[in-house]
């Protein structure tokens, strides 16, 4: 097994994509640490710049942004309710357990949408001299073989996501099927390219033609963004 | 013995459901029938070929519950649509709902509440065949949460394909349209 470490730049990048934002109003450094009272909440990001993207109607995108905002709101709600139950000594209740189960669904519904929107808005052509391209060729034999596998994963019967994951321990690249938002994430894996295949991602524009949506998705991939997500391996 | 897709074209024209949405929905339903047959065929081939201990067998077996219920729930759904939406409250089902939930209105509020839950799946009014009790159940996707051996009475699809084409994100409006078209005779006929 290769050893793995990240430098400061990568650390800062990762903290960025992990997306925790402190509710501010004041600079981060001066937030008073009133222990349990310290308020951390997620804020919905603005992806309106994607409107106008070829093959994606404004109606579909706006609905999609609204759905995304729902996940942010509900991640906060669930976290807050859980925090409240903890304070009130209600951790042994069925309500606590069910909210805890739901947390993985809401959180991933939020985070995956962010990754998805952020890896869109590009021109869709991968740089053949880039690191990611090389890695895909190494893992799959050729870029084309990777793309075929990724698209086939996206065409699977079901509701969910396709995620190109990098196993951070071995560095290996694997296309994963994620059921709904929460089923099947490889522990500790680094998500590199994310494609939504919930019905809301394509039905308004493509009806049942999911393959056409996948083609449109590929034409708009922001490969520069995916390249940034790559973890570099030392040694 | 293969399953055959049934024809629900008679529902076209139903108020609040566009032809595009219904036709897409029928096509999706046919996909579940086709794939239930495919999965069952493959499983029996594997069993004959001595491949029961393989991961392929296990995964197809897991998938079978999803495809089968995707087929059956759509049939029950389409078959409890196409009516005029008014339940005879002094009928057997009307009385039973009032008995168990305090009033018909309480039941309806609970059923609609289940349908409005965040997630992808179905709302089903189930009758517990053992005790006779009525329960509104959330089914995740097609396969998760069915109470064993219970009798499905009223089935409402809340997958995104059931409403997005006509209602965008307004699921509550779809649910209201669904209620206007419930075929209560069919639902009542399912009571045991």
């Amino acid at each position: 097994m290769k050893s793995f470490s990240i430098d400061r730049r990568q650390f800062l990048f990762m903290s960025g994509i992990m997306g925790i934002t402190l509710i501010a109003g004041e600079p981060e450094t001066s937030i008073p640490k009133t222990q349990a009272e310290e308020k951390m909440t997620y804020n919905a990001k603005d992806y309106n710049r994607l409107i106008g993207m070829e093959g994606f109607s404004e109606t579909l995108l706006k609905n999609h942004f609204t759905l995304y905002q729902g996940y942010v709101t509900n991640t906060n709600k669930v976290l807050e309710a859980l925090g409240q139950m903890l304070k009130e000594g209600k951790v042994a209740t069925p309500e606590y357990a069910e909210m805890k189960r739901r947390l993985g669904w809401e959180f991933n519904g939020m985070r995956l949408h962010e990754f998805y929107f952020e890896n869109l808005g590009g021109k869709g052509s991968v740089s053949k001299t880039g690191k990611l391209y090389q890695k895909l060729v190494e893992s799959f034999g050729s870029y084309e073989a990777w793309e075929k596998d990724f698209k086939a994963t996206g065409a699977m019967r079901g509701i969910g996501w396709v995620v190109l994951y990098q196993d951070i321990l071995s560095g290996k690249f694997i296309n994963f099927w994620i059921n709904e938002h929460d089923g099947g994430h490889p522990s500790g894996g680094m998500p590199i390219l994310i494609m939504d295949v919930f019905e809301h991602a394509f039905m308004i524009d493509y009806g049942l033609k999911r393959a056409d949506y996948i083609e449109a998705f590929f034409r708009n991939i922001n490969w520069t963004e995916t390249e940034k997500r790559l973890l570099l391996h030392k040694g | 013995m293969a399953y055959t897709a049934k024809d629900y074209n008679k529902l076209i024209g139903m108020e609040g459901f566009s032809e595009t949405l219904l036709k897409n929905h029928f096509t999706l339903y046919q996909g579940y029938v086709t794939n239930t047959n495919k999965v069952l065929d493959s499983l029996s081939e594997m069993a004959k070929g001595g491949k029961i201990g393989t991961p392929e067998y296990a995964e197809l077996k897991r998938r079978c519950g999803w495809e089968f219920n995707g087929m059956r729930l759509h049939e029950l759904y389409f078959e409890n649509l196409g009516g005029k939406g008014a339940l005879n409250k002094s009928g057997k089902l009307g009385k039973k709902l009032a008995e168990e939930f305090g009033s018909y209105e309480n039941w309806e509020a609970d059923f609609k509440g289940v349908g409005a839950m965040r997630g992808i799946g179905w709302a089903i009014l189930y009758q517990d065949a053992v005790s006779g009790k009525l329960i509104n159940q959330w089914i995740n996707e097609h396969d998760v949460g069915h109470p064993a051996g219970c009798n499905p009475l009223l089935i409402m699809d809340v997958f995104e394909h059931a409403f997005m084409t006509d209602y965008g994100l307004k699921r509550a409006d779809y649910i209201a349209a669904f209620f206007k078209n419930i075929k209560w005779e069919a639902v009542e006929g399912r009571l045991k």
Side-chain angles (χ1 to χ4, degrees):
Chain A
M1 196 162 61
K2 280 181 191 171
S3 67
F4 157 74
S5 65
I6 55 175
D7 63 25
R8 183 178 151 77
R9 187 189 63 81
Q10 289 163 344
F11 173 77
L12 289 174
F13 167 69
M14 283 188 71
S15 352
I17 59 167
M18 290 315 168
I20 293 171
T21 49
L22 295 159
I23 269 231
E26 43 193 330
E28 281 181 31
T29 46
S30 72
I31 285 185
K33 284 185 181 154
T34 50
Q35 346 93 27
E37 293 303 314
E38 191 173 321
K39 188 94 176 174
M40 269 171 114
T41 186
Y42 292 101
N43 291 320
K45 300 179 187 182
D46 180 354
Y47 296 110
N48 276 309
R49 64 174 181 279
L50 295 178
I51 290 171
M53 193 163 60
E54 186 242 323
F56 290 75
S57 71
E58 184 169 345
T59 305
L60 182 137
L61 285 173
K62 285 197 166 166
N63 278 345
H64 211 164
F65 300 154
T66 305
L67 285 171
Y68 156 62
Q69 288 151 15
Y71 287 106
V72 178
T73 306
N74 282 277
T75 299
N76 288 329
K77 266 192 201 170
V78 169
L79 285 171
E80 203 182 310
L82 285 168
Q84 197 57 34
M85 285 175 172
L86 178 62
K87 277 188 209 157
E88 291 167 5
K90 291 183 180 159
V91 291
T93 61
E95 288 80 358
Y96 180 86
E98 294 314 306
M99 294 280 264
K100 201 55 132 174
R101 284 184 221 278
R102 183 59 32 190
L103 178 60
W105 192 83
E106 297 286 4
F107 181 93
N108 282 296
M110 168 182 74
R111 182 55 40 80
L112 292 174
H113 276 108
E114 291 169 354
F115 284 144
Y116 171 73
F117 293 133
E118 285 162 26
N119 64 213
L120 277 172
K123 288 281 160 255
S125 54
V126 65
S127 158
K128 295 197 173 175
T129 54
K131 275 220 169 60
L132 179 56
Y133 185 88
Q134 290 169 25
K135 291 276 179 198
L136 291 176
V137 173
E138 270 168 38
S139 282
F140 289 86
S142 69
Y143 168 86
E144 289 69 27
W146 164 76
E147 187 179 302
K148 195 173 176 188
D149 187 68
F150 188 90
K151 286 180 174 173
T153 310
M156 278 171 56
R157 290 175 60 71
I159 306 291
W161 301 79
V162 191
V163 181
L164 167 63
Y165 259 110
Q166 182 183 23
D167 174 5
I168 57 168
L169 293 185
S170 70
K172 192 175 166 60
F173 285 78
I174 305 171
N175 293 322
F176 275 91
W177 170 260
I178 306 303
N179 208 65
E180 297 204 1
H181 306 303
D182 50 343
H185 290 287
S187 180
M190 180 70 192
I192 306 291
L193 177 67
I194 284 85
M195 181 169 72
D196 195 342
V197 289
F198 267 62
E199 292 172 323
H200 65 242
F202 61 89
M203 266 205 129
I204 288 177
D205 289 348
Y206 295 97
L208 304 180
K209 294 177 181 151
R210 203 201 284 198
D212 291 356
Y213 154 71
I214 293 177
E215 289 309 315
F217 171 84
F218 263 80
R219 286 197 297 275
N220 291 286
I221 293 176
N222 183 346
W223 286 106
T224 321
E225 179 62 30
T226 59
E227 191 90 17
K228 280 194 224 156
R229 293 173 183 166
L230 266 185
L231 287 173
L232 303 175
H233 291 263
K234 293 182 177 173
Chain B
M1 207 176 71
Y3 290 101
T4 313
K6 300 180 185 180
D7 181 352
Y8 296 110
N9 276 309
K10 61 177 183 289
L11 294 179
I12 290 173
M14 193 163 60
E15 190 225 322
F17 290 75
S18 72
E19 185 169 346
T20 305
L21 180 137
L22 285 173
K23 284 196 167 165
N24 278 344
H25 211 164
F26 300 154
T27 305
L28 286 170
Y29 155 61
Q30 288 150 16
Y32 287 105
V33 178
T34 307
N35 282 278
T36 299
N37 288 329
K38 268 193 200 170
V39 170
L40 288 173
D41 282 355
S42 301
L43 284 169
S44 97
E45 279 308 307
M46 284 178 171
K48 279 185 213 154
K51 291 184 181 156
I52 282 177
T54 62
E56 289 82 354
Y57 180 86
E59 293 315 304
L60 278 173
K61 197 56 126 179
R62 285 185 221 276
R63 184 58 31 189
C64 193
W66 192 84
E67 296 287 5
F68 180 93
N69 282 296
M71 169 181 75
R72 183 55 42 82
L73 293 178
H74 276 109
E75 290 168 351
L76 295 169
Y77 171 73
F78 292 134
E79 286 163 25
N80 63 215
L81 277 173
K84 291 280 159 252
L87 171 68
N88 172 10
K89 290 186 185 170
S90 54
K92 205 171 156 196
L93 179 61
K95 279 185 187 159
K96 222 171 151 24
L97 288 173
E99 221 176 271
E100 300 235 358
F101 289 85
S103 68
Y104 166 85
E105 289 68 26
N106 286 349
W107 165 78
E108 187 180 304
D110 186 66
F111 188 87
K112 287 181 171 172
V114 176
M117 276 171 56
R118 290 176 59 73
I120 306 290
W122 301 78
I124 302 187
L125 167 63
Y126 260 110
Q127 180 186 28
D128 176 359
V130 175
S131 71
K133 190 174 169 58
L134 300 179
I135 308 171
N136 292 323
Q137 197 87 9
W138 169 260
I139 305 304
N140 209 65
E141 296 203 2
H142 305 304
D143 50 341
V144 180
H146 291 289
C150 293
N151 183 22
L153 300 180
L154 176 67
I155 285 85
M156 180 169 71
D157 195 343
V158 290
F159 267 60
E160 291 172 325
H161 64 240
F163 60 88
M164 270 205 130
T165 305
D166 289 348
Y167 295 96
L169 303 181
K170 293 177 180 149
R171 203 201 282 197
D173 292 357
Y174 155 70
I175 293 176
F178 171 85
F179 264 80
K180 282 188 208 133
N181 291 285
I182 294 176
K183 193 174 177 181
W184 284 107
E185 322 78 278
V187 181
E188 192 141 41
R190 290 170 184 164
L191 258 184
K192 279 176 188 159

